[in-house]
């Protein structure tokens, strides 16, 4: 099976361009927050009719502030980056003529795509644009690391990965990890905001730039209840693939064990979120621990641990 070097190059260019645009969007979001902190909203003007017989016209909405316009520009740039990011994944698949999840570089490329898509979906549903810097910073940093350290030339996958389970298991695992980045960041924001509300002198520079605590809590919960079932499905599919490939469903391989620990943490979070007395700080701490476990599984287990799931080298 041949490799299309030209399409592979286009994929690399799209990935680098998407990374640069995300960094630029993050800069716009940071500037918007700085301006929003210092600027005062313009009061809405209302036209009043002479006499009391007729109902006055509706009030005119206040024009957007400079910070709001820059925030919208940052959001538009993020959408542009998402399009280029998706193009990088598709072009990579066309270049190698297989499902583009055969090495760590491709895995992280897809994972970060899902993370950005999840963030844009959340931003369209909740008033959380102030989170943009917090979300784009780790995503862009992971993409820079991916391009600099984990990059792999387009090539066929090893025979062990030439299975339809690659499409099912690895895709759902990467998608679940990417989707669970957003609730993890939201829970971190919730903890910072909560600490500010209780001890404002500690976090007066950071917390005002975050959404309200109840909004962050809702975002964390509602996105986790989407990502957790997807992660559960990925774990089940992984066990089925392990039985087909190695003759056993479970062997306490480091990646299997870490995935199981992450699953338990997220299950505990969802239980705590529905339990009186644990719905706030305790549940948020569990959600952050879940994200940390997932990232540890991604970066340490895949590279450093002696695991059947480890990528050979970086490619």
């Amino acid at each position: 099976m041949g490799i299309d070097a030209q399409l592979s190059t286009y994929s690399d260019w799209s990935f680098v361009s998407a990374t640069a645009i995300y960094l630029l969007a993050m800069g716009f979001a940071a500037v918007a927050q700085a301006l929003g902190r210092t600027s005062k909203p313009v009061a809405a003007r209302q036209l009043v009719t002479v006499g009391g017989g007729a109902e006055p016209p509706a009030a005119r909405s206040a024009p957007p502030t400079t910070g709001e316009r820059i925030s919208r520009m940052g959001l538009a740039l993020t959408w542009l980056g998402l399009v280029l990011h998706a193009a990088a994944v598709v072009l990579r698949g066309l270049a190698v003529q297989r499902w583009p999840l055969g090495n760590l570089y491709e895995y992280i490329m897809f994972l970060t795509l899902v993370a950005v898509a999840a963030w844009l979906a959340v931003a369209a549903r909740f008033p959380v644009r102030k989170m943009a810097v917090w979300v784009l910073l780790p995503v862009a940093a992971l993409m820079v690391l991916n391009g600099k350290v984990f990059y792999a030339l387009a090539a066929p996958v090893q025979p062990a990965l030439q299975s339809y389970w690659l499409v099912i298991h690895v895709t759902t695992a990467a998608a679940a990890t990417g989707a669970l980045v957003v609730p993890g960041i939201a829970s971190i924001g919730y903890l910072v905001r909560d600490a500010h509300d209780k001890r404002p002198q500690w976090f007066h520079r950071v917390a005002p730039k975050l959404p309200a605590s109840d909004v962050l809590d809702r975002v964390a919960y509602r996105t986790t209840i989407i990502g957790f079932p997807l992660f559960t499905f990925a774990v089940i599919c992984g066990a089925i693939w392990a039985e087909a490939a190695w003759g056993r469903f479970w062997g306490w391989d480091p990646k299997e064990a870490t995935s199981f620990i992450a699953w338990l943490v997220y299950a505990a979070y969802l239980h705590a979120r529905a339990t009186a007395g644990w719905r706030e700080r305790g549940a948020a701490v569990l959600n952050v621990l879940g994200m940390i476990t997932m990232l540890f599984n991604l970066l340490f287990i895949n590279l450093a641990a002696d695991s059947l799931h480890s990528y050979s080298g970086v490619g």
Side-chain angles (χ1 to χ4, degrees):
M1 182 167 54
I3 303 298
D4 192 320
Q6 192 66 45
L7 289 179
S8 177
T9 300
Y10 290 154
S11 173
D12 295 344
W13 289 351
S14 296
F15 182 77
V16 171
S17 298
T19 303
I21 289 174
Y22 290 151
L23 289 169
L24 184 61
M26 185 177 67
F28 272 66
V31 172
Q33 283 193 354
L35 291 176
R37 185 182 174 91
T38 57
S39 61
K40 297 181 179 180
V42 179
R45 292 181 299 174
Q46 184 173 4
L47 297 179
V48 180
T49 56
V50 178
E55 184 179 352
R60 294 182 182 178
S61 59
T65 64
T66 302
E68 290 172 343
R69 287 194 293 267
I70 293 177
S71 177
R72 293 174 185 174
M73 292 170 64
L75 191 66
L77 283 171
T78 307
W79 277 105
L80 175 60
L82 182 71
V83 172
L84 290 171
H85 199 160
V89 174
V90 173
L91 289 170
R92 181 73 169 198
L94 294 174
V96 296
Q97 300 180 44
R98 59 167 173 79
W99 197 248
L101 281 171
N103 52 59
L104 187 58
Y105 169 73
E106 295 170 0
Y107 187 93
I108 293 179
M109 180 162 59
F110 182 76
L111 180 158
T112 48
L113 173 68
V114 174
V116 175
W119 157 242
L120 289 172
V122 166
R125 177 70 177 81
F126 298 95
V128 290
R129 290 188 186 179
K130 292 180 180 180
M131 276 180 59
V133 174
W134 288 58
V135 175
L136 291 177
L137 177 60
V139 169
L142 191 57
M143 290 178 68
V144 171
L145 184 68
N146 196 35
K148 291 290 185 180
V149 179
F150 303 142
Y151 177 78
L153 293 173
V157 296
Q158 53 183 311
L161 295 178
Q162 294 176 3
S163 168
Y164 60 88
W165 285 110
L166 174 70
V167 178
I168 301 173
H169 167 61
V170 181
T171 302
T172 52
T177 304
L180 289 170
V181 168
V182 173
I185 298 298
S187 289
I188 292 174
Y190 173 87
L191 293 172
V192 173
R193 184 85 205 193
D194 182 67
H196 169 270
D197 293 341
K198 293 179 178 178
R199 294 175 293 275
Q201 68 275 15
W202 284 19
F203 297 95
H204 67 283
R205 292 184 177 273
V206 178
K209 300 178 183 179
L210 290 168
S213 297
D214 60 331
V215 174
L216 291 167
D217 182 57
R218 287 201 310 272
V219 168
Y221 176 68
R222 294 185 184 182
T223 48
T224 301
I225 61 176
I226 295 174
F228 179 70
L230 192 63
F231 182 52
T232 302
F233 180 73
V235 171
I236 294 172
C237 290
I240 297 172
W241 191 9
E243 196 280 331
W246 303 317
R248 48 79 173 168
F249 289 101
W250 194 265
W252 291 105
D253 179 81
K255 193 169 184 68
E256 294 172 351
T258 309
S259 297
F260 181 60
I261 292 171
W263 187 90
L264 288 177
V265 172
Y266 279 113
Y269 163 74
L270 292 177
H271 175 72
R273 182 58 174 69
T275 302
W278 274 81
R279 295 190 61 176
E280 299 177 350
R281 290 183 58 84
V285 169
L286 286 173
N287 206 16
V288 174
L289 288 176
M291 184 184 68
I292 292 173
T293 306
M294 295 286 274
L295 293 177
F296 175 82
N297 203 7
L298 171 69
L299 298 176
F300 181 79
I301 299 297
N302 275 331
L303 294 173
D306 183 14
S307 168
L308 292 170
H309 294 79
S310 300
Y311 289 100
S312 88
V314 184

